[in-house]
């Protein structure tokens, strides 16, 4: 551990002020090295007030919401969740290399306090965001990076920022009208990042645990992966806000902060893989290939 | 159909010689328009001599091999297949957002005529390739595009070209030694394109039908998604070269050629989505987001 900590400090120093030590002073860091050397300050507990638990027969899917990017839609989703809207609904769509979708496919349930239309929060002002930029360019946006643990993009020309469609990101399905995405149908990405959806549909958060329970759902046989009448749909037992769940039943998670030297070291460890298996380190990384580590929070850590 | 054909001709013309007609002369094309207007010459029958059928209990997975990029490894795999090497083996690994892998996990089977080591074909000369370049830049490579139906990259400085790790691409797992990838363990990408694997492991082809039978495999509980002793592994009934299968049992497929005006129109239809649902066309596309259409070949088409 001491050895890891020393190596890590060396690289953090390098990132902060330049190559003060020659790289040959120690072997370059792998992600495992970076995480082993991380300190408590590198992690944040995920806020239970902005966390959803979706209970399936196969287990719990945990979603961290992003009110910083979609405040109105997140509020609408929480209103739906707190009214028990999703309880007893089902997964309705599983399209290979694209999305799994769930909720009220037929729009039959009453909305209660929630709104039927929500102004589409496709982007927001980039001002005031704690944006950690990636050093590499991006195919779809002028710049990509991370904000409070979410993959994001920004455009200096327009002054706008938005979340990006990476694996495990959660969005609100909509009809043709942009404001029709009210949160009654949600999806997650289970394939190659469909970045062409950025700013076309509102992202509301990301799955921080249990995405593999959704990604293995049998693909639907109808158009766009929707399940037909005769196909079995995985039921949703309940969706709850974590803050409403008795503490003993919660899954308390910590996410690696994305505004730290540790996170920059992690990005570098993935831009140039140092594990001995690699022959040709890539020298670059795309925003959706950067891991966003999450771990169980332990007392006294 | 006539309407589609006319619209398509207009765009093909535009792509070929510039904007001869104002775009407002007709609405821009969707991919469905482009495919509806394609002619027989836009398609090629996939060569049964370079096609593998992997029979699972859930159905047939069809792989088109890429001898143009990995001639020695493809030859080795075909030697293994023709010796019945894979028959009765199983899927051994399913790692979420990464790969599903199959073959001889314990390296117990005799190799017969096949080689134990194959010089790693990470890249080849770009000379002589029928390379259709994408108009957009790439995060990982100087240029990306398509060669004979496969996603690829090239570097003018080094004169090299290589296949890219997109969803559904098939590669040969290896140990630390680059020449240890001999084809006895194969994998396919089932998540966001792990492009950092490019030129680190040899790609040998892509799945042209049935990738969804692999992508839904339950994720393995061991490290890197390997199945543990107690976990059920999906058995492989057989792997055969299509040319060795009686004609009546073959699945004859056609792939859209990637060196045509039709394919360029398809790329453009995906760079800027014209379906009315889209509010903000992306204006760009990443190599792994370009669809590579495949269809059943029909007599008289």
């Amino acid at each position: 551990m001491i050895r890891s900590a020393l190596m890590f400090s060396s690289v953090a120093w390098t990132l902060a002020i330049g190559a003060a030590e020659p790289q040959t002073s120690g072997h370059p860091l792998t992600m495992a090295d970076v995480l082993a050397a991380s300190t408590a300050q590198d992690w944040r507990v995920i806020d239970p007030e902005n966390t959803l638990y979706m209970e399936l027969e196969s287990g719990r899917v945990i979603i961290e919401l992003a009110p910083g990017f979609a405040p109105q839609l997140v509020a609408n989703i929480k209103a739906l969740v707190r009214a028990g809207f999703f309880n007893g609904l089902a997964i309705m769509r599983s399209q290979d290399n694209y999305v799994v979708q769930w909720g009220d496919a037929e729009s039959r349930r009453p909305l209660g306090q929630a709104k039927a239309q929500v102004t589409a929060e496709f982007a927001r002002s980039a001002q005031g965001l704690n944006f950690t930029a990636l050093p590499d360019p991006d195919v779809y946006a002028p710049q990509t990076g991370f904000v409070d643990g979410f993959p994001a993009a920004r455009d200096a020309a327009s002054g706008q920022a938005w979340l990006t469609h990476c694996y495990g990101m959660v969005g609100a399905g909509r009809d043709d009208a942009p404001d029709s995405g009210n949160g009654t149908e949600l999806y997650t990405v289970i394939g190659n990042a469909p970045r062409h959806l950025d700013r076309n549909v509102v992202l509301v958060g990301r799955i921080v645990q249990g995405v593999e329970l959704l990604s293995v759902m049998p693909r639907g046989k109808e158009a766009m992966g929707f399940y037909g009448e005769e196909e079995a749909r995985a039921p949703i037992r309940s969706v709850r806000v974590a803050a409403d769940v008795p503490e003993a039943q919660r899954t308390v998670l910590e996410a690696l902060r994305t505004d730290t030297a540790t996170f920059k070291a992690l990005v570098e460890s993935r831009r140039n893989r140092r594990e001995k298996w690699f022959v040709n380190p890539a020298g670059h990384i795309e925003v959706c290939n950067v891991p966003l580590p999450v771990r169980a929070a332990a007392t006294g850590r």
Side-chain angles (χ1 to χ4, degrees), chain A:
Chain A
M1 280 299 281
I2 288 171
R3 187 160 160 267
S4 293
L6 283 172
M7 291 197 302
F8 169 71
S9 299
S10 163
V11 161
W13 183 255
T14 303
L15 285 167
I17 65 158
E21 297 188 309
Q23 285 210 323
T24 48
S25 69
H27 75 75
L29 299 188
T30 65
M31 184 167 77
D33 297 329
V34 173
L35 293 176
S38 67
T39 66
Q41 287 70 42
D42 290 318
W43 300 81
R44 63 183 170 87
V45 174
I46 297 178
D47 180 5
E49 186 58 43
N50 285 312
T51 301
L52 301 181
Y53 294 157
M54 176 161 66
E55 310 289 351
L56 304 177
E57 288 178 1
S58 53
R60 177 176 283 182
V61 177
I62 305 181
I63 300 166
E64 182 180 13
L65 297 168
F69 282 86
Q72 295 182 68
L73 189 47
V74 165
N76 216 52
I77 290 168
K78 286 167 71 175
L80 290 166
V81 166
R82 286 185 154 137
F85 182 86
F86 291 96
N87 305 346
L89 290 174
I91 311 297
M92 57 175 145
R93 177 186 185 193
S94 173
Q95 183 172 358
D96 199 61
N97 191 17
Y98 198 44
V99 298
V100 164
Q101 194 165 335
W102 62 92
D104 190 15
E106 288 86 18
S107 302
R108 287 182 184 159
R109 293 207 164 180
L111 297 182
Q113 303 296 310
K115 295 173 186 165
Q117 281 87 35
V118 180
T119 305
E121 296 160 307
F122 291 149
R124 54 155 284 168
S125 166
Q127 278 205 314
L129 286 181
N130 196 7
F131 196 103
T132 300
L134 274 184
D136 297 301
D138 182 73
V139 176
Y140 291 89
Q143 190 175 52
T144 53
F146 298 88
V147 176
D148 301 337
F150 293 98
R154 67 182 176 186
D155 178 6
S158 70
Q160 298 280 292
W162 56 94
L163 296 177
T164 56
H165 274 83
C166 297
Y167 196 97
M169 289 293 285
V170 175
R174 67 167 174 85
D175 295 327
D176 286 347
D179 67 357
S180 62
N182 57 19
T184 55
E185 296 185 41
L186 299 173
Y187 65 89
T188 192
V189 173
I190 58 147
N192 194 57
R195 296 284 308 283
H196 56 283
L197 297 180
D198 294 356
R199 289 184 290 179
N200 281 290
V201 60
V202 181
L203 289 168
V204 298
R206 79 175 182 103
I207 296 178
V208 289
Q209 186 174 300
V211 66
E212 73 281 3
L213 304 180
L214 294 171
S215 57
V216 299
M217 292 283 169
R219 308 313 183 210
K221 292 183 174 29
E222 303 286 313
M224 303 199 300
F226 280 92
Y227 293 122
E229 290 290 329
E230 76 296 344
E231 293 180 86
R233 299 178 184 205
I236 297 169
R237 289 181 175 166
S238 68
V239 178
R240 294 172 294 174
V241 176
D244 301 344
V245 173
E247 286 197 21
Q249 297 170 30
R250 290 189 201 167
T251 307
V252 184
L253 297 175
E254 294 178 339
L256 192 73
R257 296 176 61 100
T258 53
D259 57 352
T260 62
T262 295
F263 184 71
K264 285 183 179 170
L266 180 144
V267 169
E268 179 53 29
S269 77
R270 303 299 279 193
R271 294 177 75 234
N272 288 294
R273 293 290 291 268
R274 304 305 188 181
E275 296 87 347
K276 68 177 179 177
W277 183 88
F278 282 86
V279 176
N280 294 305
H284 305 280
I285 198 163
E286 195 267 329
V287 64
C288 293
N289 274 334
V290 175
L292 296 170
V294 169
R295 67 183 185 187
T299 12
R301 189 175 255 155

